[in-house]
């Protein structure tokens, strides 16, 4: 099964005989593997078949609708790695700018992002301009970035890192775990107790993984368990971490594979150990697997859709969490062409469906989008939904998906031209049992105040929200506070932090704190807690000056 998917991809796709190169002539920075030469950035993006208008789904497909952000995009290179800050705004990197520049998208007065405004935040530390990296929102509301496959558009499996403080609008460099010389396009996750788990893309023979305890801008690293790889291969590249309802972490192995399966593993957070759990139903890829998205749909405990990176067989597998059982899922096809997720984003929608972007091969356009749903018996189906305006010129590795507090999903096309940031409005809504429930918050709140306590249930949701695997993460499984003035209808987001847990499917009452901006309108208002785009019922509060 040994094959170089990064280098062979361009050869095998071009050999189809149905390829025209993309009309764009700008440089492209393709993901590459440890020990593999980076693909020439002057190589045009391959395109399957003739160029076509965006796909419009028939009415029976019940597709959501895409709407472009209306304000002019500020990016000089392109938008990459959107992150949902806890104050309601979104930050997106302008990749390969030096120093690395991020832009903030602030929703309008009604809390909508399509009419939002752009502004600069502070640039990253000098010399650190990453592309394809680990990223997380921390329990204190800060942002952490680690690694990168490129630095200022030069191939470099970096070991650098930085923490962004949104209150001070400042970045602080952080050291890598001891003894690490690379991090690269690594996977990461926040464990339920708030510990930051980070992988090294490039540990040969035995993968490297570390646990970070973070206080302010100081990261204290301790080693974490890993496993051995076949043929002195890599263990922690091309995979992703998915949280389980019991607090453990799920991973499909991209290196220990057979002709018709991949191994999968579960990390025991209490024992700090990875354990071989079994085999997938189908072969899902070698040297990389697609995103793995958790949904509350299906049997008790939910379902994971593990997307494939191969067109042979091209099956996306379905894992029942409670039953610990795999099954073969749908194949994404357009005509007779199978679409796959070799570098691709996915997102769990508020209704439990999973939105995914896929392409007809690695580093090939066009892209198309599907919604996966799972019935009560655990059977998954895939329905093709509407395209974005630039999907025809975009390969799936260029896309990101981020779940917004509105229940919509933000998508960007990073390196495709022209740049596009679009927002998807799903057709359906969350089940009532999934809504956050506020059990305690003060009925009278002061604008400009800090440290307001709030508690309740379902404050961390039933999935991470967005998923990509390695190269990017887009978790939104934390509570956000939206306050709507009853008279004007204007929306104000409080900045939340001090999350008592960062798990999913959390039982019992959990808590957080929030600060109310001085700019919020005073008067009778309605407060809602939002997690992964799912809003609680409103709680009546009064804002005073």
């Amino acid at each position: 099964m040994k094959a170089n998917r990064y280098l062979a991809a361009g050869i095998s796709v071009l050999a189809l005989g149905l390829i025209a190169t993309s009309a764009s002539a700008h440089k492209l920075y393709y993901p590459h593997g440890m020990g593999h030469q980076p693909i020439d950035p002057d190589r045009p993006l391959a395109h399957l078949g003739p160029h076509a208008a965006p796909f419009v789904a028939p009415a029976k497909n019940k597709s959501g609708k895409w709407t472009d952000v209306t304000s002019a995009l500020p990016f000089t290179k392109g938008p990459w790695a959107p992150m949902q800050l806890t104050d309601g705004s979104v930050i997106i990197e302008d990749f390969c700018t030096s120093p690395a520049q991020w832009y903030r998208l602030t929703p309008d007065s009604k809390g909508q992002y399509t009419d939002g405004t752009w502004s600069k935040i502070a640039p990253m530390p000098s010399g650190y301009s990453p592309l394809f990296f680990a990223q997380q929102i921390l329990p204190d509301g800060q942002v952490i970035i680690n690694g990168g496959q490129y630095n200022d558009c030069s191939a470099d499996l970096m070991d650098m890192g930085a923490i962004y403080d949104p209150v001070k609008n400042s970045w602080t460099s952080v050291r890598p775990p001891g003894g690490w010389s690379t991090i690269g396009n690594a996977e990461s996750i926040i464990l339920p107790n708030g510990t930051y788990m980070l992988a090294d893309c490039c540990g040969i023979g035995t993968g490297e993984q570390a646990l970070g305890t973070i206080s302010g801008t100081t990261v204290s690293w301790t080693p974490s368990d890993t496993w051995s790889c076949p043929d002195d291969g890599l263990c922690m590249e091309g995979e992703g971490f998915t949280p389980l309802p019991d607090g453990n972490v799920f991973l499909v192995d991209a290196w220990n594979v057979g002709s018709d399966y991949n191994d999968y593993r579960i990390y025991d957070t209490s024992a700090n150990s990875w354990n071989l759990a079994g085999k997938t139903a189908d072969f899902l890829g070698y040297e990389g697997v697609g995103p793995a998205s958790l949904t509350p749909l299906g049997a008790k405990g939910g379902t994971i859709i593990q997307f494939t990176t191969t067109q042979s067989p091209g099956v996306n597998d379905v894992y029942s969490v409670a039953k610990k059982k795999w099954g073969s899922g749908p194949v994404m096809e357009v005509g007779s062409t199978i679409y796959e997720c070799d570098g691709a984003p996915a997102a769990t929608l508020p209704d439990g469906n999973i939105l995914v972007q896929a392409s007809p091969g690695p580093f090939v356009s066009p892209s198309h989008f599907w919604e996966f749903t799972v019935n009560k018996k655990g059977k998954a189906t895939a329905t093709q939904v509407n395209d974005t305006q630039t999907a025809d010129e975009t390969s799936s590795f260029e896309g990101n998906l981020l779940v917004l507090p509105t229940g919509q999903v933000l998508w960007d096309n990073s390196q495709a031209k022209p740049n596009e940031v679009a927002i998807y409005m799903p057709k359906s809504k969350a089940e009532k049992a999934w809504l956050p429930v506020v059990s305690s918050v003060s009925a009278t709140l002061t604008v400009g105040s800090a440290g307001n306590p709030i508690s309740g249930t379902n404050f961390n949701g039933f999935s991470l929200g967005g998923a990509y695997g390695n190269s990017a993460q887009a978790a939104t499984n934390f509570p956000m506070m939206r306050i709507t003035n009853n008279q004007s209808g204007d929306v104000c987001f409080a900045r939340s932090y001090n999350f008592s847990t960062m798990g999913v499917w959390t039982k019992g009452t959990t808590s957080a704190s929030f600060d109310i901006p001085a700019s919020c309108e005073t008067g009778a208002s309605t407060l809602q807690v939002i997690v992964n785009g799912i809003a609680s019922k409103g709680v009546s509060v009064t804002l005073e000056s």
Side-chain angles (χ1 to χ4, degrees):
M1 298 303 300
K2 199 98 172 175
N4 185 337
R5 69 186 177 105
Y6 292 100
L7 296 183
I11 299 169
S12 61
V13 170
L14 291 170
L16 291 174
L18 299 174
I19 301 295
T21 56
S22 172
S24 60
H26 61 283
K27 290 182 181 294
L28 286 168
Y29 300 93
Y30 301 91
H32 61 92
M34 175 70 172
H36 301 160
Q37 289 296 317
I39 297 172
D40 182 356
D42 290 319
R43 196 200 87 175
L45 188 69
H47 186 87
L48 177 64
H51 293 278
F55 173 78
V56 177
K60 66 179 181 179
N61 287 22
K62 298 181 179 179
S63 171
K65 180 181 178 181
W66 290 100
T67 303
D68 282 351
V69 172
T70 57
S71 54
L73 302 184
F75 307 100
T76 58
K77 295 285 189 177
W80 176 254
M83 302 187 75
Q84 177 69 69
L85 297 186
T86 68
D87 64 1
S89 63
V90 172
I91 58 171
I92 309 179
E93 185 195 30
D94 192 359
F95 78 90
C96 290
T97 49
S98 184
Q101 181 62 62
W102 292 66
Y103 289 89
R104 183 191 301 268
L105 177 63
T106 302
D108 67 14
S109 62
K110 304 304 179 185
Q112 297 301 311
Y113 292 82
T114 49
D115 299 319
T117 56
W118 297 99
S119 59
K120 282 185 177 182
I121 67 169
M124 294 186 78
S126 178
Y128 189 30
S129 177
L131 176 61
F132 307 132
F133 46 78
Q135 58 185 130
Q136 293 293 339
I137 300 293
L138 298 172
D140 62 4
Q142 294 190 112
V143 173
I144 189 166
I145 305 292
N146 284 100
Q149 273 204 338
Y150 292 86
N151 194 16
D152 194 18
C153 283
S154 295
D156 182 1
L157 297 173
M158 291 180 290
D159 65 353
M160 301 174 71
I163 287 178
Y164 176 66
D165 183 333
V167 176
K168 297 179 180 178
N169 186 30
S170 63
W171 292 88
T172 302
S173 296
V174 297
R175 294 180 179 275
W180 287 24
S181 60
T182 57
I183 296 174
N185 58 328
E187 53 264 53
S188 68
I189 194 170
I190 305 295
L191 300 180
N193 65 359
T195 299
Y196 175 52
M197 188 161 80
L198 175 69
D200 175 6
C201 74
C202 309
I204 302 294
T206 300
E208 289 187 286
Q209 182 179 287
L211 302 176
T213 301
I214 302 173
S215 177
T217 57
T218 301
V219 184
S220 301
W221 297 103
T222 57
S224 179
D225 184 45
T226 185
W227 61 90
S228 298
C229 311
D231 302 325
D232 292 329
L234 300 170
C235 286
M236 287 289 186
E237 186 187 33
E239 300 150 338
F241 297 144
T242 302
L244 294 173
D246 62 5
N248 294 331
V249 179
F250 169 100
L251 175 144
V252 169
D253 195 329
W255 297 87
N256 291 276
V257 306
S259 61
D260 59 355
Y261 70 89
N262 291 60
D263 284 346
Y264 79 100
R265 302 175 186 274
I266 292 178
Y267 175 76
D268 186 327
T269 54
S270 61
N272 184 24
S273 65
W274 282 99
N275 301 291
L276 179 62
K279 297 174 172 41
T280 61
D282 299 280
F283 174 63
L284 297 167
Y286 181 68
E287 297 192 16
V289 290
S293 292
L294 176 63
T295 168
L297 296 177
K300 180 182 179 180
T303 307
I304 294 173
I305 304 293
Q306 175 62 70
F307 292 97
T308 185
T309 61
T310 176
Q311 292 169 297
S312 178
V315 176
N316 301 282
D317 276 2
V318 181
Y319 178 74
S320 172
V321 174
K323 296 178 181 178
K324 300 180 180 178
K325 183 178 179 181
W326 285 93
S328 299
V331 175
M332 293 179 283
E333 291 184 278
V334 177
S336 60
T337 301
I338 293 175
Y339 277 60
E340 49 80 48
C341 297
D342 192 346
T348 304
L349 303 175
D351 65 2
N353 285 0
I354 296 170
L355 177 69
V356 65
Q357 179 184 358
S359 292
F363 316 139
V364 183
S365 60
S367 289
H368 293 300
F369 296 84
W370 281 261
E371 280 195 33
F372 278 61
T373 190
V374 182
N375 66 19
K376 292 182 179 180
K377 294 183 178 181
K379 181 180 179 181
T381 55
T383 302
Q384 190 176 355
V385 295
N386 290 350
D387 278 346
T388 58
Q389 290 298 311
T390 59
D392 183 68
E393 292 288 349
T394 306
S395 181
S396 60
F397 83 93
E398 299 175 287
N400 297 112
L401 290 170
L402 176 73
V403 180
L404 297 171
T406 54
Q408 301 165 313
V409 178
L410 181 145
W411 175 82
D412 63 46
N413 65 356
S414 70
Q415 301 189 59
K417 301 297 181 183
N419 289 156
E420 182 180 11
V421 176
I423 292 174
Y424 183 77
M425 172 57 83
K427 278 281 188 180
S428 304
K429 298 180 180 180
E431 295 184 12
K432 290 183 179 179
W434 303 345
L435 271 60
V437 177
V438 178
S439 59
S440 176
V441 68
S442 177
T444 302
L445 298 164
T446 303
V447 297
S449 62
N452 298 286
I454 190 168
S455 58
T457 55
N458 290 353
F459 271 25
N460 291 84
F462 300 88
S463 74
L464 286 180
Y468 192 105
N470 66 330
S471 297
Q473 293 88 44
T476 52
N477 61 318
F478 46 80
M480 301 174 60
M481 288 78 203
R482 181 173 63 195
I483 304 172
T484 305
N485 185 274
N486 292 348
Q487 183 173 359
S488 67
D490 288 345
V491 165
C492 176
F493 282 95
R495 186 184 74 87
S496 58
Y497 56 100
N498 285 350
F499 308 129
S500 60
T501 181
M502 293 293 283
V504 295
W505 296 68
T506 304
K507 295 180 180 179
T509 299
T510 59
S511 62
S513 302
F514 62 99
D515 300 344
I516 303 176
S519 57
C520 285
E521 294 179 26
T522 58
S525 303
T526 301
L527 181 148
Q528 293 172 288
V529 169
I530 305 172
V531 183
N532 292 334
I534 302 174
S536 71
K537 290 183 179 180
V539 176
S540 295
V541 296
T542 300
L543 265 59
E544 298 180 341
S545 57

